[in-house]
Amino acid sequence: MTLRIADTFTAALTRLTAQEQAAAKQAAFDLQVDPSAPGLSLHRVDRSRDRDFWTARVTRDLRIVLHRRGPDTLLAWVGHHDDAYDWAERRRLEVHPTTGAAQLVEVRERVEEIRVHATPSTPAAVPPPALFARTPEETLLRCGVPPDWLADVRAATDDTLFDLTDHLPAEAMEALLNLAVGIEPGTPAPPTDPFAHPDAQRRFRLLVDEEELRRALDAPWERWTIFLHPAQREFVARDFAGPARVTGSAGTGKTVVALHRAVRLARDDPSARVLLTTYNALLAEGLRRKLALLGAPPNLTASDLRAVALAEHERLLGPVRMATEAEVHEVLASAAESQPVDPGFLRDEWRLVVDARDVRDPAIYRDLPRHGRKTRLTGDRREALWAIFDRVRGLLAERGLKTYAGALHDTAHALADASAPPFDHIIVDEAQDLSLAELRFLRAACAREANGLFFAGDIGQRIFRPAFAWSAEGVEIRGRSRSLKVNYRTSHQIRRRSDHLLPARLLELNGGEEDRTGVQSVFEGPSPSIQAFRSAAEEASAVARWIGEAIDAGIAPEEIGVLVRSLDELDRALEATRLAGRPGEKLVGRAAPAPGLIALAPMHLAKGLEFRAVAVMACDAGVIPSEARLLEANDERALEEVYATERHLLYVACTRARERLMVSGVTPVSEYLEDLLDEGPA
């Protein structure tokens, strides 16, 4: 017997109670061991248009819907008795006539009415145009639209397209959203096996043994986030003559593109040295877990950028002793002695200009454009400052210390003199948070120009590093930058509300512009809850109730995240989980919570994580934007940078949620919550 599991089954499984889920899983194991076991009480669904649908008994009121055709069995759905029969009566499993992919299709004749959302109108209002009225039928079929749904798709408008979400196969809905933003469907040759089609592989998983079934049932389907979606394939397969980049808002699949591109390049040339990297160790750990699911070849390395750079420093220059922030501040103060210079300004000038750009010559410092620094400096002032920075370099050298930026620059220089860079292809995830020194190192570490450097990132999620012009560092991506426009991770409601935190267009220092309009989500969910409370105790009680409601809805504790601005607010998150009667775990040094534990984390550590439900707590005035960071800003430009990155940080936190989002604070709340409360169009 060949056993497969459909995403519709795992999605339905998550909506059951914990006790019902356990019973359904056991019945699935029994089915795999002996499909004819009497205890399963198999019954054909007589009223289904597809005569191969059956039900298997789980409990007195719980049924698994199976599709059995010859030796092939599909776990299609699970739910209560009447719901299970109703679901099976309205479905058929078929091969799409154009794409050749296996699909679970809702029977159009049994849909009495497609409920549409009411939209305000007046008798004189012009009806919105149908999105696909002039689209050739052949194009809609290449999208995977079932033939008997073509008329409904042709009639869909911007207001009613999402009403088809619950009726069309998911891959067809995704392709239509792509088409709506100008991305045409591909024309792959139909496979001989309908389940081998890429669309089918994302919806149906072949289970070869009991252990694989156990993994599929224990992990929610959305955790299997390694399959390529139609809009992403071009960025994996395409060859670029120079550095290239894929951008897109949170949830559009940039990391999936990076993963598959890295694997593709490694498989295409087994002799090539391929690096997949990102800016911290926790994110790199997540990349390695996903690469394991893809069966990454041995010539592909996944590691955080700091570890790679320091390893290269040791290989070429020997071990390095890194200076701590406190040591750098002490050296700066010592070098300045009694000079009349503001310590905060001096630290920023060193960090953002001299150390960041590897300035080692007074003439270069005198003439250097100080992008991002508002304070103007006369020639005499620069000369006095240079004397201080020259002493700083001397003191660090005397103590055998290097800054991280200094180590990167030294390694980049050594690589330029070396016979062969260590990598042929480098793929960078979360590239928006690269520093200038890191970009210089990456450029020096990559041997090839064609398909050499590839970046995946979103400047709307830049939270750690100041912006700078990549083109000034010899990394020119103009003409080789593409934007993803379909959000696969976050519900329409969460995406739309979170987008209010950022402008529709973000400008880059090299003059480029990222247009964030036109993004579509592939599914809908509850509206986010944005609330203000009179006290921290009142907030904790409300979040505890929200956690309980999420768990009652079938969301596992480890699929819930509670995020706060910093470590200082983590106790408020712990109190909420305590009141909910559910233990929480601080994600400090961990990439994911243990099973049964709610994840608690400061916002900056949540980057790269995903949860079905997220509560963002303690969004008080003075907490976000951080009052401490605002006070440290030395000029207007620095203040603008703080406000921008604090907005990005809250955006990152909100977009970690897939289905449910709650954002709260104690009055007076953060000014950013007013933007989240805005119900205007996005």
Side-chain angles (χ1 to χ4, degrees), residues 423-501:
F423 301 104
D424 298 298
H425 309 285
I426 299 178
I427 298 90
V428 185
D429 192 30
E430 304 294 351
Q432 74 279 347
D433 275 310
L434 286 176
S435 69
L436 184 151
E438 288 170 332
L439 188 65
R440 287 184 180 177
F441 165 77
L442 289 168
R443 185 166 177 259
C446 190
R448 301 184 185 179
E449 183 71 13
N451 287 339
L453 293 173
F454 185 87
F455 304 94
D458 171 18
I459 60 176
Q461 298 183 62
R462 181 176 59 82
I463 57 178
F464 290 112
R465 304 285 195 269
F468 62 95
W470 287 17
S471 56
E473 302 306 320
V475 178
E476 182 58 77
I477 57 174
R478 281 181 292 187
R480 293 187 293 270
S481 182
R482 305 289 187 274
S483 181
L484 297 169
K485 291 291 187 180
V486 180
N487 188 311
Y488 299 94
R489 184 183 70 207
T490 304
S491 74
H492 172 69
Q493 286 75 12
I494 294 173
R495 178 198 58 77
R496 183 182 63 183
R497 193 69 65 89
S498 301
D499 280 349
H500 288 307
L501 289 168

Side-chain angles (χ1 to χ4, degrees), residues 65-233:
V65 177
L66 307 171
H67 190 275
R68 306 177 72 196
R69 183 173 293 165
D72 298 330
T73 298
L74 174 72
L75 299 176
W77 202 78
V78 61
H80 295 283
H81 180 282
D82 292 351
D83 295 334
Y85 275 86
D86 181 64
W87 187 92
E89 289 168 5
R90 294 186 293 108
R91 300 295 188 285
R92 65 177 185 267
L93 181 65
E94 63 180 27
V95 177
H96 191 276
T98 298
T99 68
Q103 289 183 323
L104 278 170
V105 177
E106 183 169 4
V107 179
R108 180 65 184 87
E109 291 84 346
R110 291 193 57 84
V111 180
E112 297 177 4
E113 176 186 1
I114 298 178
R115 190 183 303 271
V116 298
H117 298 129
T119 55
S121 62
T122 65
V126 177
L131 292 172
F132 309 112
R134 298 184 180 181
T135 304
E137 180 176 298
E138 185 269 339
T139 301
L140 297 178
L141 289 172
R142 282 192 290 118
C143 288
V145 176
D148 47 354
W149 283 91
L150 288 171
D152 297 280
V153 169
R154 287 195 179 283
T157 68
D158 273 331
D159 295 331
T160 64
L161 179 59
F162 277 101
D163 299 318
L164 295 171
T165 300
D166 294 334
H167 303 285
L168 293 179
E171 64 273 13
M173 191 66 196
E174 292 171 8
L176 289 174
L177 289 172
N178 280 325
L179 191 61
V181 296
I183 302 172
E184 290 275 338
T187 55
T192 55
D193 178 5
F195 289 101
H197 190 283
D199 285 340
Q201 288 184 341
R202 291 160 42 218
R203 307 301 170 198
F204 308 101
R205 184 173 181 82
L206 179 64
L207 305 171
V208 297
D209 55 31
E210 183 177 336
E211 180 56 31
E212 190 161 359
L213 173 60
R214 187 183 306 278
R215 289 198 302 269
L217 294 176
D218 286 345
W221 189 267
E222 54 265 32
R223 293 287 179 89
W224 298 87
T225 54
I226 60 171
F227 290 107
L228 273 177
H229 300 286
Q232 301 163 347
R233 293 174 190 151

Side-chain angles (χ1 to χ4, degrees), residues 250 432-433 458-467 498-503 505-507 514 516 565 603-604 606-607 624-625 629 640-656 672 675:
Q432 74 279 347
D433 275 310
D458 171 18
I459 60 176
Q461 298 183 62
R462 181 176 59 82
I463 57 178
F464 290 112
R465 304 285 195 269
S498 301
D499 280 349
H500 288 307
L501 289 168
L502 302 178
R505 289 175 172 81
L506 294 173
L507 298 177
E514 182 176 313
R516 304 178 68 83
R565 169 62 183 82
M603 295 177 186
H604 65 277
K607 193 73 192 74
I624 187 165
R629 288 193 67 201
E640 291 173 357
E641 174 72 7
V642 170
Y643 273 111
T645 53
E646 291 284 305
R647 276 187 175 277
H648 296 175
L649 191 59
L650 184 56
Y651 173 80
V652 166
C654 292
T655 54
R656 300 310 93 195
Y672 298 156
D675 298 317

